[in-house]
Amino acid sequence: MRVIERLKSTKKPLFSFEILPPLKGKSIQSIYDGIDPLMEFDPAFVNVTYHREEFIYKKREKGYLEKIAIKKRPGTVGICAAIMNKYNIEAIPHLICGGFSKEETENALIDLNFLGIDNVLALRGDPIKTEPHFVPEKGGNRYAVDLVKQIVELNEGNYMDENIEKANPTNFSIGVAGYPEKHFESPNMKADVKRLKDKIDAGADYIVTQLFYDNQKFFSFVDACREAGIKAPIVPGIKPIESLRHITFLPKFFNIDLPSDLTDELEKCSSNDEVKVVGTEWAIQQTKELIEYGVPCLHFYTMGKSPTVSNIAKAIF
Ligand code: FAD
């Protein structure tokens, strides 16, 4: 079922989560091991992230350095098909602009369509490590809004090759990313929300947010979206803090703040086990308040580790 229909028809908040493809060399079983403990909470859908290539330099003879592109976590589409086949739940591949020409994007969408995958999260992707800012692929999409437009074209049966007659229209429900604390490149929140509205106006159906720890920021973001005329469902993204490393990594990597009430408690912790207790309790309180507020779905970033999300789900569902 298309995610937008699930979001619009549900009477109680849905449960969903995001996973990462395993590192190259690992088996699909590591994915199942992460999903199995969460199946009892009846997930409405599972998102699978997309990871583009990274560039490394290998030393060759006579000191030459060879630039090599490697994908450490391939398999997004295959994992989605495997999940749908094994669990009979919707799997949503993330599709990014970076590294894809429009032709390659169209072909990827055709693969998804043939596999019976009717949902996609359309993203721009981050700049690769060796680039100071995002550089689109030659002949590729620059912004997520351009990717949304391309998917909508295919939903209308318009393929890039105008000579194709009686083309099969696809039926993708399109999700896009939103940022309760603003996207890091945006000059201000108003400008960012305007760009988000462009994605919805272009045909995206719903929004999934970046992780956040202060519900007030989410509520203000939803208010700003509604004031800007965005009517689409907004799904909050929740990531429980699970390790001492997260305390510095999460703000840096995701450009978000941790509220001082939370960091005060985290500073008292001397081990990851203690952090997990604080992080789980914070996420439970956060989700309870979000349910009361009336969110259509709670979307958890598991990063492949299910026990903490399972404990939170037990407390709230
Ligand atoms: P866009 O919507 O294109 O926005 C990017 C920036 O450009 C913003 O600052 C926006 O305000 C600005 N902008 C947009 N349109 C215009 C315009 N026309 N002119 C000027 N400025 C404009 N990354 C991955 O690589 N793989 C994943 O699987 C992945 N999953 C994600 C899931 C979620 C829920 C979220 C929130 C993020 C995810 N990301 C993923 C990260 C995402 O790719 C980055 O945050 C990226 O930097 C922005 O992506 P976007 O789709 O929001 O981009």
Side-chain angles (χ1 to χ4, degrees):
M1 190 181 192
R2 284 159 35 97
V3 163
I4 186 59
E5 271 94 54
R6 280 301 302 272
L7 291 173
K8 282 193 169 162
S9 63
T10 186
K11 297 211 164 40
K12 59 180 182 122
L14 302 169
F15 167 65
S16 66
F17 57 93
E18 177 186 292
I19 59 170
L20 278 65
L23 285 168
K24 199 181 264 186
K26 291 206 171 173
S27 80
I28 188 87
Q29 188 57 43
S30 60
I31 290 290
Y32 301 152
D33 291 344
I35 295 178
D36 286 342
L38 298 175
M39 284 307 292
E40 65 174 290
F41 307 109
D42 191 20
F45 52 90
V46 178
N47 279 54
V48 184
T49 54
Y50 184 88
H51 300 259
R52 66 179 293 191
E53 73 283 5
E54 292 175 26
F55 291 95
I56 56 158
Y57 289 90
K58 280 215 162 162
K59 264 198 180 156
R60 295 295 184 216
E61 277 173 34
K62 296 181 186 163
Y64 288 123
L65 290 176
E66 188 186 356
K67 191 178 176 186
I68 297 177
I70 51 162
K71 264 193 189 166
K72 290 187 179 168
R73 294 181 184 273
T76 301
V77 174
I79 291 168
C80 286
I83 290 173
M84 287 175 65
N85 187 38
K86 182 171 165 70
Y87 299 99
N88 200 19
I89 51 174
E90 294 303 329
I92 308 182
H94 292 191
L95 192 60
I96 64 169
C97 304
F100 284 81
S101 67
K102 284 188 191 169
E103 170 79 17
E104 287 162 341
T105 299
E106 185 172 277
N107 293 340
L109 289 164
I110 291 169
D111 279 344
L112 297 179
N113 180 245
F114 287 173
L115 286 165
I117 297 172
D118 283 337
N119 295 288
V120 67
L121 194 73
L123 301 144
R124 186 195 70 179
D126 280 325
I128 53 174
K129 281 181 194 138
T130 44
E131 287 168 354
H133 54 84
F134 178 80
V135 180
E137 191 70 12
K138 196 164 177 251
N141 291 307
R142 175 172 286 277
Y143 293 109
V145 66
D146 305 317
L147 177 55
V148 171
K149 285 178 187 163
Q150 185 175 8
I151 302 168
V152 168
E153 281 291 331
L154 225 55
N155 277 351
E156 289 169 359
N158 300 324
Y159 288 65
M160 289 176 73
D161 180 352
E162 290 159 8
N163 296 320
I164 299 176
E165 285 174 13
K166 293 190 187 147
N168 166 50
T170 55
N171 189 28
F172 289 107
S173 173
I174 310 166
V176 288
Y179 301 84
E181 300 187 46
K182 182 181 94 54
H183 184 260
F184 68 100
E185 291 167 23
S186 237
N188 55 57
M189 185 54 115
K190 198 174 169 198
D192 207 26
V193 169
K194 189 175 168 298
R195 300 299 185 192
L196 180 55
K197 184 164 186 298
D198 290 344
K199 294 192 271 191
I200 299 298
D201 290 347
D205 297 309
Y206 65 97
I207 296 158
V208 183
T209 78
Q210 184 60 280
L211 48 94
F212 61 91
Y213 294 88
D214 179 350
N215 281 352
Q216 288 311 319
K217 292 196 170 152
F218 175 78
F219 301 147
S220 305
F221 171 70
V222 175
D223 287 347
C225 289
R226 301 306 180 220
E227 270 167 37
I230 297 174
K231 295 194 177 80
I234 303 178
V235 175
I238 315 289
K239 157 107 196 89
I241 295 189
E242 295 186 78
S243 69
L244 289 160
R245 183 178 155 267
H246 277 163
I247 302 170
T248 47
F249 171 78
L250 295 173
K252 185 171 170 231
F253 194 80
F254 294 104
N255 296 284
I256 50 146
D257 281 350
L258 301 183
S260 56
D261 287 359
L262 174 58
T263 50
D264 287 350
E265 289 306 309
L266 291 169
E267 273 165 18
K268 293 179 199 156
C269 301
S270 53
S271 68
N272 287 343
D273 284 343
E274 287 176 23
V275 167
K276 256 179 221 165
V277 173
V278 172
T280 303
E281 189 49 37
W282 187 273
I284 290 172
Q285 294 314 322
Q286 227 192 320
T287 44
K288 282 185 173 166
E289 198 181 23
L290 289 164
I291 291 172
E292 234 169 77
Y293 177 78
V295 295
C297 178
L298 293 154
H299 186 67
F300 289 91
Y301 294 105
T302 70
M303 315 253 177
K305 295 182 193 126
S306 46
T308 308
V309 172
S310 175
N311 288 337
I312 297 164
K314 266 187 200 128
I316 57 169
F317 288 111

